[in-house]
Amino acid sequence: MKPKVFITRKINQEIVAKMEEFCEVSMWEEEEVPVPRDILMEKIKDVDGLFCLLTETIDEELLETAPHLKVVSNMAVGYNNIDIDAAKKLGITVTNTPGVLTETTADLTFALLMATSRRIVEASSYLKEGKWKTWSPMQLTGQDIHGATLGIIGMGRIGSAVAKRALGFDMNVIYHNRKRVSKLEEELDVKYVEMDHLLKNSDFVCVMVPYTKETDKLISKREFDLMKDTAILINTARGGIVDEQALYAALISNKIWGAGLDVFENEPVSVDHPLLSLDNVVAIPHIGSASIKTRLKMAEVAADNLIKSLKNEEPECVVV
């Protein structure tokens, strides 16, 4: 008898077919709408494996209703949507998809940095709305990228990939990390500094740490007060790492110059969120890994992780 699996969002049929070779698969058929909580609660009661996205909250209540569940395969690098302690207590394997989205997310991070610093979105709207009447010396002027100092908070896979891109723009790269990465310092010519030094000296502050209890509101009023008034914050990690109220206050009071955000504390973000009203904020809808090739690869890795777990084999990307 095949193990039963539930997929919480419509994914590529080739990936589903691969899973169906070993599993009995059911899938929520909506691409753009997350599976409702009550339906997920019902579906999970009878399955051996769950293939989920960041949009699903896999908490202790949910896990305790799933007596047969052996594995939760998360199609993402981050896993703050899953109660890891509860899964561990219940003997449920949790997997993720690191590595495959590193370069794609680094591309997007640097694109967001460039768009924010050079006011690309604002300038495009300015033209389309018919506001461009003449050329003037300081019209839509932004911040230089070449030769600027980039401070990266979190020098993991994606952080180091962003650093490589920055070096191509002759940027001075400094970083802060829980552990010093001496090998990367030699390879990339980047410099480890303490957090306060990074905040005080960076033209761009790029948030690259995972979301945990320790990194919740890591960047708040104190940190913004340390930053240059010409500094730009870039966050493509997780929304809860940045205190959004403190960020809004820093932006409207000119404590910092601008922000590029791919993530928010509550997603999808409300259209009346105060940050979306600001011209010096470039906001995009959590598309860090959103290239066709990368998203398909993420789904493939998540499927492989799930199948191997159900076969009692060691999956490549185990969280617990």
Side-chain angles (χ1 to χ4, degrees):
M1 188 172 174
K2 290 183 176 181
K4 294 180 179 180
V5 167
F6 180 60
I7 305 172
T8 64
R9 193 71 64 87
K10 188 175 182 179
I11 61 171
N12 182 273
Q13 191 54 44
E14 289 182 14
I15 305 297
V16 176
K18 181 177 183 179
M19 297 172 72
E20 286 177 333
E21 291 177 10
F22 179 72
C23 308
E24 181 183 323
V25 178
S26 61
M27 180 170 64
W28 176 247
E29 290 291 339
E30 297 286 344
E31 254 185 291
E32 300 298 331
V33 181
V35 59
R37 173 80 173 184
D38 59 338
I39 292 177
L40 181 56
M41 288 283 284
E42 190 61 33
K43 289 286 187 180
I44 203 171
K45 289 179 182 178
D46 199 32
V47 300
D48 303 284
L50 181 69
F51 181 117
C52 67
L53 281 69
L54 286 172
T55 45
E56 284 73 62
T57 300
I58 313 300
D59 54 21
E60 187 168 13
E61 178 191 25
L62 192 75
L63 294 173
E64 286 183 339
T65 65
H68 309 293
L69 190 64
K70 297 181 177 65
V71 57
V72 175
S73 182
N74 208 36
M75 187 180 142
V77 175
Y79 43 84
N80 55 296
N81 59 313
I82 302 170
D83 188 331
I84 297 300
D85 292 336
K88 189 174 183 179
K89 181 176 70 175
L90 294 166
I92 298 168
T93 299
V94 176
T95 65
N96 65 343
T97 60
V100 295
L101 48 69
T102 297
E103 299 299 334
T104 300
T105 305
D107 283 349
L108 185 281
T109 301
F110 211 80
L112 188 56
L113 181 154
M114 296 180 73
T116 307
S117 62
R118 293 303 304 271
R119 301 170 66 177
I120 299 296
V121 176
E122 186 184 356
S124 178
S125 297
Y126 185 85
L127 185 152
K128 291 178 180 180
E129 292 166 8
K131 296 178 180 177
W132 188 27
K133 305 300 183 184
T134 185
W135 184 93
S136 62
M138 299 304 289
Q139 185 180 67
L140 291 166
T141 49
Q143 302 288 350
D144 278 331
I145 301 162
H146 67 275
T149 295
L150 171 63
I152 299 175
I153 302 172
M155 190 59 87
R157 290 187 183 95
I158 301 171
S160 60
V162 171
K164 290 177 184 177
R165 286 154 177 77
L167 296 175
F169 282 76
D170 292 326
M171 298 183 85
N172 170 43
V173 182
I174 58 178
Y175 79 97
H176 181 77
N177 200 55
R178 186 172 55 180
K179 293 181 180 179
R180 190 166 179 171
V181 192
S182 300
K183 184 180 179 182
L184 282 179
E185 291 176 33
E186 296 173 10
E187 290 177 0
L188 301 179
D189 192 26
V190 299
K191 182 181 179 183
Y192 173 85
V193 296
E194 293 299 329
M195 182 75 154
D196 285 2
H197 178 95
L198 183 149
L199 294 167
K200 289 176 182 177
N201 291 278
S202 296
D203 299 301
F204 297 89
V205 174
C206 189
V207 178
M208 297 268 86
V209 293
Y211 179 80
T212 64
K213 291 178 182 177
E214 290 72 29
T215 61
D216 180 67
K217 305 294 188 296
L218 178 69
I219 309 298
S220 194
K221 182 181 184 302
R222 176 187 174 276
E223 287 68 38
F224 290 123
D225 286 345
L226 291 173
M227 291 167 64
K228 297 179 178 182
D229 59 10
T230 54
I232 294 171
L233 176 80
I234 303 295
N235 186 11
T236 57
R238 286 290 182 271
I241 300 166
V242 175
D243 183 330
E244 291 175 0
Q245 290 185 336
L247 173 58
Y248 179 78
L251 288 164
I252 61 171
S253 64
N254 299 315
K255 294 291 291 184
I256 66 170
W257 192 84
L261 308 172
D262 183 41
V263 289
F264 291 85
E265 187 166 5
N266 295 305
E267 296 179 355
V269 67
S270 171
V271 293
D272 60 2
H273 193 297
L275 286 168
L276 302 190
S277 68
L278 303 179
D279 287 336
N280 56 345
V281 171
V282 176
I284 51 178
H286 206 146
I287 59 169
S289 62
S291 75
I292 296 167
K293 183 178 178 180
T294 293
R295 287 285 171 86
L296 289 175
K297 184 63 178 176
M298 288 170 67
E300 184 181 353
V301 170
D304 287 343
N305 286 337
L306 186 143
I307 292 167
K308 285 183 178 179
S309 295
L310 293 176
K311 287 183 173 180
N312 294 317
E313 298 174 3
E314 183 72 16
E316 290 181 24
C317 313
V318 179
V319 179
V320 292

